[in-house]
Amino acid sequence: MKDAVISLEEREAVFATLRRYLWCMDTGNIDGVPANFTEDATIRDVTGKLWNREAGGVFGFATHFLGPSGRPAGQHWIQHMAVKDAGDGELLVISYWAGMSWDAKTDEKSVRLIGCYRDTMLKVDGKWLIRHKVIDPWNAATIQEVGPLV
């Protein structure tokens, strides 16, 4: 898969969608999460579960992870690593992420998880949206192989 050749404006629009998704996740905006995805979007979460229409889709995913679970406050840090041409007008964005947590009672801050996002993006009505999101934790099964940087 080759690097995508897109303008800086298009690249920024793609990254803006990915940032809006994370902002919704970090601020607990369940209703805002789906606005960053296509209607037929799927998500494979950090546990490997596939959130498709039958499993509740993007809204089900957001509700599951952002609902009243009592988990500590969280924040995502992201670094976009590559934008690839996925064909048929789609782009594949590969990003590294780290999930931080904060326990307000103890003021303890920690890195909860780290991993890699693989977001397949599609432009719909002039707006870049996530069509497929894969959230891989960083472990022996998902680590990238060392190879040439070309």
Side-chain angles (χ1 to χ4, degrees):
M1 191 175 296
K2 293 185 178 185
D3 287 342
V5 179
I6 58 174
S7 70
L8 290 176
E9 292 82 8
E10 289 293 298
R11 186 175 295 261
E12 177 55 27
V14 166
F15 293 166
T17 297
L18 297 173
R19 287 191 303 268
R20 277 191 309 273
Y21 155 75
L22 286 176
W23 182 254
C24 290
M25 293 297 291
D26 288 348
T27 59
N29 184 354
I30 294 171
D31 293 326
V33 172
N36 299 290
F37 290 82
T38 62
E39 288 186 23
D40 64 343
T42 61
I43 301 174
R44 192 183 79 204
D45 73 24
V46 72
T47 70
K49 178 177 178 165
L50 180 65
W51 293 89
N52 56 17
R53 285 183 191 205
E54 293 77 26
V58 175
F59 186 76
F61 163 83
T63 302
H64 175 77
F65 282 97
L66 300 177
S69 63
R71 72 178 186 154
Q75 186 178 79
H76 289 84
W77 291 68
I78 189 168
Q79 174 64 51
H80 306 299
M81 300 303 293
V83 179
K84 303 286 187 181
D85 184 344
D88 295 328
E90 294 182 332
L91 299 173
L92 173 64
V93 181
I94 301 167
S95 308
Y96 293 160
W97 61 267
M100 314 302 196
S101 65
W102 172 55
D103 186 327
K105 294 176 186 168
T106 65
D107 197 33
E108 182 178 329
K109 299 163 188 82
S110 62
V111 176
R112 186 175 38 219
L113 285 170
I114 59 175
C116 183
Y117 289 140
R118 289 176 180 80
D119 293 292
T120 304
M121 311 285 295
L122 179 66
K123 198 170 193 180
V124 178
D125 296 328
K127 183 177 178 182
W128 285 101
L129 299 173
I130 305 164
R131 188 162 188 208
H132 304 292
K133 181 172 206 58
V134 175
I135 307 170
D136 279 332
W138 193 39
N139 59 35
T142 62
I143 193 167
Q144 290 77 22
E145 295 291 327
V146 176
L149 296 176
V150 289

